[in-house]
Amino acid sequence: MAILKRIFENPEKEIKKLRGIVDRVNELEKTIKPLTDEAMREKFSAIRENVYKQTQQNSKREEVLLEALPEVFALVREASIRTLGERHFDVQIVGAIVLHQGRISEMKTGEGKTLAATMPLSLNSLVGKGCHIVTVNDYLAKRDSEWMGQIYNFLGLTVGALQNRQDNIKRRNLYGCDILYGTNSEFGFDYLRDNMVVRLEDRVQTGRYYGIVDEVDSILIDEARTPLIISGAASFSTDFYKTADAIVRRLKQSSPIETPKEQELSLPSQRKYTEGDGDYDVDEKERSVLLTARGIARAEKDLNIENLYDPENTMLAHHISQALRANAVFKKDVDYVVKDGQVIIVDEFTGRLMYGRRYSEGLHQAIEAKENVKVEAENQTLATITIQNYYRLYEKLAGMTGTAKTEEEEFKKIYNMDVVSIPTHMPMVRKDQGDLIYKTKEGKLRAIVNEIEEKNKIGQPMLVGTVSVESSEELSERLRKRNIPHNVLNAKHHEREAEIIKQAGQKGMVTIATNMAGRGTDIKLGQGVVELGGLYVIGTERHEARRIDNQLRGRSGRQGDPGCSRFYVSLEDDLMRIFGGDRVKAIMERLGMSDATPIEHRMISNAIENAQKKVENHHFEIRKHVLKYDDVMERQRNVIYTERNKILDGTDIRDDVFGYINDIAKKRVEIYCNEKINRSEWDFEALLQDIRTCFPIGSDVKIDDFDKMKKLEEISEFFASRGRKYYEIKEAELSFPVIRGLERYISLRVIDEYWIRHLYGLDALREGIGLRAYGQTDPLVAYTKESFEMYQEIWDQIRTTVVRAIFSARPKVEAQSQESLYNIHQMGRGMEGAGRSAGGRIVRREKQKVGRNDPCPCGSGKKYKKCCGA
């Protein structure tokens, strides 16, 4: 398969094809260079007007853009020369064409991805729908928008940068720009917030036409395991988190249990666990914890309960489980840091602090209890979408990075984007040396410090990559003891990031940094460094993903600069310990090798790479699994958001309300008049009572009226026609403009209320659905079926509540402003009270309008005091 792939997917052949377009761009350079600045702007404006006219039909869009591409690219290149003094290399134009085609451009570090992106962004902005470029942090969004913005402004295009904490007016104006820079979370959360607003003018995003994702592997792969979630405080007590923490601290971990090789990367439901000798077992691969029988007994004794897993103790079991994970799996200064009395998550791929992010399902609170800081209230999901499904909303999506080829399969399957490796402008001369494998972590660290000391004496700059805050500080302490000056760049010192990176290539500099993924800044070599061999990159540990190692290596050897890299590995490193260091360890022990003696062999390096491939595939399966569940929700979310947008856009939903009345009538008739039983058993009295709790049908309706109706459709239509008739009376009572506004206002409020409830229900369903595997049921199939049933039930409640609330609305007696001519009495209570014994009616007596002995306004035919006034 690998041979066939090389034959049919020849990258050189692909690049050769694109070179023809580059030649056309180069030919146009001669005609554009003599133009004045004003003449260039006029030419670009004319192209823009022509493209806009022709691309209003989607079918012609790509053909028109392809035709305009050479001239637009040539204009952008000349604009760059005149504003930035930088001319796009031919390989950058190749990368720009790949980006325009909606593919991933793999360009090595220092090859000028940021400049290359200006060409496809300028071209696609001509369609008039706006283009987004997604960066990894606010700093880069602002920097790049100002830096590259000089090119766009020169050509007459508008550019902006989304930043955290901007107000809605500012954000709406920014989305009106031709080109907009921003982070992944800013774009994603704006989409979710737009689908929560209750006024059209509060929406900010204008659409998602063309997007380029910078550091595409970091955003679409690394962050894809974490969905975007907007949450609000839930009404749960936080008291028990500290109790659960105190209980689990007294429990003892079992001795490590060897996992059979064939089970190394199998799913949890396929594994066979062996009972340990302690209170709980830790599975480091899955990052999960299981109580043993002994542990369960101790927890039950401490909690003074008989059965921890009794249904009524579900919340207790959940708290204990999360407290166990917090104490046994999640490590301070690795997974999170404690800063200013807060637990802040550390991004495992970039080493950055993820402000505002919290672990879900009570795990964050469990860690707060463990660290003895204030336990914040648990949150409830209000809106959510996975990274994958958000970016699949774009009509055309592209990406750029220095390392994407190892994840090409995932990009193709999930996002339908292939990866094109762009050749470097200058030949790569960096020397990537083989891994040095040590028996112990201590031996490895001593060797690293010795190597740093030796190279520092001659002044060669060094970048030392670590996988966690903890390991970066441990190494820093060792260097301090040797009096070796150095800088530390990790989640605790990220404020000085730009300054530290700027100095990292200077003579004699030693920089210790957590993972360099997505830093977005080049390390330029200082004077005299080239003669010393360039920047020397040392990796203190292999990461689970090969991309992260490649990104660290890629910081050296930019633009033809010299450089070298080497990874130091010990058999006690997590990757080697968990994923197959036993064989290597056995060899080293047989040879009688000491801690200070390393092995350097291609076979061992291959074994490490194979372990990384296994982990990458495992994580891919996890992301696919997350996406499959979100795809179920995506179909439901699309219907909800389409309905909301229709209402916000001012569409007349009178017909929808009539449809709700019809559906309510049909469903109630099916419940009480089941065709499978004898007609004599049909409960017409209960049917009448239930229908009247939803909408008025008049006091003259009697059970005898149904004797002549033989079919259920006739009965349903009888009730529906009565409901529609009384709705027309309601329209006359409130006036058409008022009831149209009322329909939109109530519908939005009710849809939002029940959608949030549905999300809460889905969270609960997801939490326990995995256990279905033990009953030989596919959890995904069960989730799909049950979530659809829940969704249908939610829509039935939405229809009922909307109709009930509209019929219950009464004009206020006192003078009102034009904006509030109606009053929805106790609307919130009505939503919560659907299905109460009183039918959830939400009518309240108005003074001087309804006496206690008067007929009830709901149309039940009863006196007010015995109906809604009860």
Side-chain angles (χ1 to χ4, degrees):
M1 285 303 293
I3 294 168
L4 288 171
K5 198 171 181 181
R6 280 199 293 273
I7 294 170
F8 291 109
E9 295 182 14
N10 189 337
E12 291 176 13
K13 190 177 177 183
E14 183 73 34
I15 299 296
K16 193 174 180 181
K17 231 191 299 180
L18 300 177
R19 293 268 186 196
I21 303 174
V22 176
D23 292 341
R24 286 166 59 198
V25 175
N26 289 335
E27 285 167 18
L28 287 166
E29 191 171 20
K30 302 167 195 167
T31 59
I32 287 171
K33 198 161 272 300
L35 296 175
T36 64
D37 291 358
E38 191 55 42
M40 277 183 66
R41 276 189 281 273
E42 287 174 5
K43 194 171 190 65
F44 189 83
S45 180
I47 296 170
R48 184 179 190 176
E49 192 176 330
N50 182 46
V51 169
Y52 180 76
K53 282 180 184 174
Q54 292 188 66
T55 55
Q56 297 316 293
Q57 296 177 2
N58 289 350
S59 57
K60 293 178 64 179
R61 188 180 294 158
E62 292 307 316
E63 297 168 30
V64 173
L65 289 174
L66 185 59
E67 193 179 325
L69 185 150
E71 198 165 13
V72 170
F73 279 21
L75 284 165
V76 172
R77 177 194 258 178
E78 184 59 30
S80 176
I81 293 168
R82 296 187 189 189
T83 55
L84 305 179
E86 294 188 27
R87 180 181 179 274
H88 294 71
F89 302 132
D90 285 1
V91 289
Q92 286 175 309
I93 298 176
V94 172
I97 297 166
V98 169
L99 290 172
H100 166 67
Q101 292 172 338
R103 303 158 85 185
I104 292 171
S105 173
E106 186 185 65
M107 300 173 72
K108 300 300 177 194
T109 301
E111 290 296 303
K113 295 188 289 291
T114 308
L115 186 63
T118 57
M119 288 181 162
L121 287 167
S122 299
L123 176 63
N124 282 275
S125 72
L126 304 180
V127 175
K129 291 190 169 189
C131 299
H132 300 164
I133 179 156
V134 185
T135 63
V136 292
N137 59 50
D138 278 349
Y139 163 74
L140 289 176
K142 193 168 190 301
R143 185 203 72 176
D144 292 352
S145 68
E146 292 170 354
W147 182 22
M148 297 298 130
Q150 297 172 69
I151 299 172
Y152 306 128
N153 292 333
F154 180 89
L155 295 169
L157 295 170
T158 54
V159 61
L162 278 178
Q163 299 284 288
N164 198 11
R165 301 185 186 283
Q166 288 168 328
D167 61 41
N168 269 19
I169 297 170
K170 174 75 172 172
R171 296 178 96 82
R172 193 161 48 251
N173 291 335
L174 286 170
Y175 276 104
C177 292
D178 296 309
I179 293 152
L180 181 60
Y181 287 77
T183 63
N184 166 51
S185 56
E186 293 298 326
F187 284 118
F189 285 127
D190 279 343
Y191 166 74
L192 290 176
R193 281 190 290 263
D194 276 0
N195 285 287
M196 295 173 69
V197 300
V198 293
R199 297 187 307 167
L200 181 62
E201 57 268 31
D202 289 335
R203 285 197 302 206
V204 296
Q205 258 188 17
T206 50
R208 289 157 298 280
Y209 163 55
Y210 178 62
I212 295 178
V213 183
D214 193 8
E215 302 295 351
V216 65
D217 51 339
S218 176
I219 291 171
L220 298 191
I221 302 290
D222 299 339
E223 294 198 25
R225 279 189 283 175
T226 308
L228 298 169
I229 298 172
I230 291 179
S231 57
S235 54
F236 303 123
S237 171
T238 60
D239 297 342
F240 193 73
Y241 288 105
K242 290 199 178 285
T243 306
D245 183 69
I247 290 170
V248 302
R249 281 177 185 273
R250 293 194 287 270
L251 302 180
K252 176 192 163 195
Q253 182 178 342
S254 304
S255 303
I257 299 166
E258 295 294 328
T259 306
K261 191 166 183 60
E262 64 273 10
Q263 289 189 34
E264 273 186 358
L265 287 171
S266 58
L267 294 173
S269 58
Q270 297 168 336
R271 293 201 190 136
K272 294 176 183 176
Y273 291 98
T274 310
E275 185 73 18
D277 57 356
D279 300 312
Y280 60 89
D281 298 326
V282 178
D283 185 336
E284 291 188 271
K285 293 187 188 71
E286 285 295 324
R287 305 199 79 195
S288 63
V289 189
L290 285 174
L291 280 171
T292 62
R294 192 173 100 171
I296 293 169
R298 289 193 65 180
E300 287 169 346
K301 183 181 176 183
D302 288 343
L303 291 166
N304 196 24
I305 57 175
E306 288 185 9
N307 182 0
L308 180 62
Y309 295 103
D310 191 284
E312 66 182 28
N313 295 326
T314 301
M315 286 305 291
L316 296 180
H318 175 70
H319 280 303
I320 295 294
S321 172
Q322 296 295 51
L324 267 174
R325 287 187 72 206
N327 280 274
V329 177
F330 285 78
K331 298 172 186 170
K332 184 180 177 182
D333 290 340
V334 176
D335 301 297
Y336 63 89
V337 298
V338 178
K339 189 175 182 181
D340 301 328
Q342 288 184 304
V343 170
I344 304 168
I345 300 170
V346 175
D347 187 332
E348 64 173 304
F349 297 99
T350 65
R352 293 182 185 279
L353 289 182
M354 301 168 80
Y355 288 99
R357 299 257 186 117
R358 291 176 67 83
Y359 294 116
S360 59
E361 297 175 3
L363 177 60
H364 208 96
Q365 286 80 2
I367 295 172
E368 287 169 334
K370 167 192 170 184
E371 296 297 339
N372 201 27
V373 300
K374 184 186 176 186
V375 179
E376 301 290 343
E378 198 167 337
N379 289 329
Q380 177 178 326
T381 301
L382 304 180
T384 180
I385 190 170
T386 57
I387 298 287
Q388 296 100 317
N389 273 327
Y390 173 71
Y391 284 103
R392 292 198 296 192
L393 294 171
Y394 280 83
E395 292 181 47
K396 186 161 71 168
L397 186 67
M400 53 189 187
T401 182
T403 47
K405 207 67 183 173
T406 57
E407 311 289 351
E408 184 171 17
E409 183 191 357
E410 182 164 354
F411 283 122
K412 191 72 182 166
K413 284 185 177 176
I414 304 295
Y415 304 100
N416 196 28
M417 293 192 291
D418 59 346
V419 179
V420 180
S421 295
I422 311 298
T424 55
H425 176 59
M426 302 280 284
M428 174 71 72
V429 294
R430 185 185 68 235
K431 294 176 184 173
D432 294 329
Q433 301 174 74
D435 296 355
L436 291 180
I437 295 97
Y438 288 81
K439 189 175 174 183
T440 64
K441 184 180 175 184
E442 179 59 35
K444 177 188 75 170
L445 287 173
R446 279 202 300 265
I448 290 170
V449 173
N450 291 338
E451 180 76 350
I452 292 171
E453 187 174 40
E454 186 181 324
K455 296 296 181 185
N456 187 244
K457 283 176 183 174
I458 63 170
Q460 184 174 14
M462 306 187 76
L463 175 66
V464 187
T466 63
V467 296
S468 68
V469 176
E470 183 183 48
S471 54
S472 69
E473 296 194 336
E474 183 182 355
L475 185 59
S476 173
E477 182 59 32
R478 287 173 183 258
L479 293 183
R480 267 196 293 273
K481 287 178 180 175
R482 296 272 189 105
N483 294 317
I484 300 171
H486 61 280
N487 283 321
V488 179
L489 177 57
N490 61 29
K492 290 185 174 179
H493 308 286
H494 66 98
E495 296 87 354
R496 296 176 54 229
E497 179 179 327
E499 181 192 335
I500 291 172
I501 288 293
K502 193 176 179 182
Q503 299 296 321
Q506 302 304 308
K507 198 170 182 178
M509 292 301 299
V510 177
T511 307
I512 300 173
T514 46
N515 295 322
M516 297 295 292
R519 292 292 179 195
T521 47
D522 295 336
I523 298 174
K524 295 184 179 179
L525 301 184
Q527 198 171 2
V529 170
V530 171
E531 292 76 17
L532 296 171
L535 180 69
Y536 184 11
V537 170
I538 287 181
T540 62
E541 198 172 324
R542 281 285 195 169
H543 196 274
E544 288 181 349
R546 288 169 293 165
R547 282 180 303 102
I548 309 301
D549 293 342
N550 293 337
Q551 281 169 343
L552 179 61
R553 275 201 168 114
R555 299 294 155 181
S556 175
R558 64 180 290 281
Q559 290 288 341
D561 287 339
C564 61
S565 69
R566 187 190 291 276
F567 277 86
Y568 285 72
V569 180
S570 90
L571 300 182
E572 293 176 350
D573 293 346
D574 287 346
L575 183 71
M576 296 297 289
R577 185 171 51 79
I578 301 171
F579 296 100
D582 295 342
R583 211 162 22 154
V584 182
K585 188 175 182 180
I587 293 169
M588 294 182 86
E589 284 176 350
R590 274 202 300 272
L591 294 172
M593 299 179 75
S594 68
D595 290 358
T597 309
I599 286 181
E600 182 179 359
H601 197 284
R602 186 64 200 156
M603 183 189 77
I604 295 172
S605 295
N606 286 342
I608 294 170
E609 194 167 326
N610 287 333
Q612 289 176 308
K613 285 179 184 176
K614 282 182 182 178
V615 180
E616 286 166 2
N617 289 334
H618 182 50
H619 288 163
F620 178 29
E621 289 302 319
I622 290 172
R623 287 189 290 270
K624 273 204 304 188
H625 196 61
V626 170
L627 183 59
K628 282 176 183 175
Y629 280 91
D630 193 64
D631 280 342
V632 175
M633 192 197 293
E634 176 71 3
R635 292 188 286 272
Q636 300 172 6
R637 179 168 48 232
N638 284 342
V639 175
I640 290 285
Y641 286 178
T642 301
E643 284 297 311
R644 286 192 97 263
N645 289 331
K646 186 171 78 173
I647 295 165
L648 284 174
D649 291 337
T651 306
D652 189 336
I653 60 168
R654 181 179 188 263
D655 289 345
D656 289 356
V657 177
F658 273 27
Y660 292 172
I661 292 170
N662 296 342
D663 290 339
I664 290 168
K666 184 180 178 184
K667 176 127 190 201
R668 297 308 187 277
V669 169
E670 286 173 352
I671 291 170
Y672 296 102
C673 304
N674 193 329
E675 286 185 316
K676 293 178 182 178
I677 62 174
N678 194 290
R679 185 182 174 101
S680 62
E681 296 180 47
W682 289 2
D683 195 343
F684 287 110
E685 190 172 333
L687 172 61
L688 280 172
Q689 188 177 351
D690 198 349
I691 290 279
R692 280 178 170 141
T693 65
C694 301
F695 55 80
I697 54 173
S699 57
D700 59 325
V701 178
K702 303 289 187 291
I703 293 175
D704 297 344
D705 296 338
F706 304 110
D707 290 343
K708 297 174 185 177
M709 301 178 195
K710 304 300 180 188
K711 294 182 178 178
L712 294 187
E713 291 79 5
E714 291 179 74
I715 302 172
S716 299
E717 178 53 30
F718 171 80
F719 286 120
S721 62
R722 285 272 177 154
R724 294 193 298 267
K725 172 189 163 187
Y726 277 94
Y727 197 82
E728 287 167 354
I729 295 171
K730 173 63 68 175
E731 286 177 322
E733 179 190 356
L734 293 177
S735 84
F736 277 83
V738 169
I739 202 160
R740 295 291 84 84
L742 186 66
E743 287 166 347
R744 289 195 292 274
Y745 177 76
I746 289 178
S747 296
L748 274 179
R749 288 285 302 274
V750 173
I751 287 172
D752 287 349
E753 171 78 15
Y754 281 104
W755 176 241
I756 290 168
R757 287 193 198 180
H758 184 57
L759 290 176
Y760 183 74
L762 289 179
D763 283 347
L765 180 62
R766 275 291 303 275
E767 195 175 321
I769 202 75
L771 298 173
R772 305 293 177 87
Y774 293 106
Q776 306 302 309
T777 302
D778 185 334
L780 181 61
V781 172
Y783 179 79
T784 304
K785 179 177 179 290
E786 291 179 36
S787 67
F788 180 66
E789 289 169 357
M790 289 166 61
Y791 180 67
Q792 286 183 309
E793 179 62 27
I794 283 292
W795 263 110
D796 182 54
Q797 292 174 344
I798 287 172
R799 285 189 283 264
T800 304
T801 308
V802 167
V803 170
R804 188 180 282 154
I806 294 173
F807 271 111
S808 302
R810 295 287 174 265
K812 275 201 170 183
V813 177
E814 63 270 21
Q816 286 281 341
S817 67
Q818 191 62 30
E819 289 183 357
S820 55
L821 290 171
Y822 52 83
N823 182 22
I824 308 163
H825 294 298
Q826 303 174 343
M827 198 175 98
R829 278 178 55 196
M831 293 178 199
E832 295 167 8
R836 292 177 301 183
S837 58
R841 286 189 290 278
I842 47 178
V843 180
R844 192 177 64 183
R845 181 163 67 108
E846 288 291 337
K847 286 182 182 177
Q848 304 167 343
K849 283 204 73 177
V850 184
R852 292 196 46 81
N853 291 312
D854 291 342
C856 186
C858 77
S860 65
K862 298 177 183 178
K863 289 182 179 179
Y864 179 76
K865 66 180 180 183
K866 291 187 177 179
C867 189
C868 294

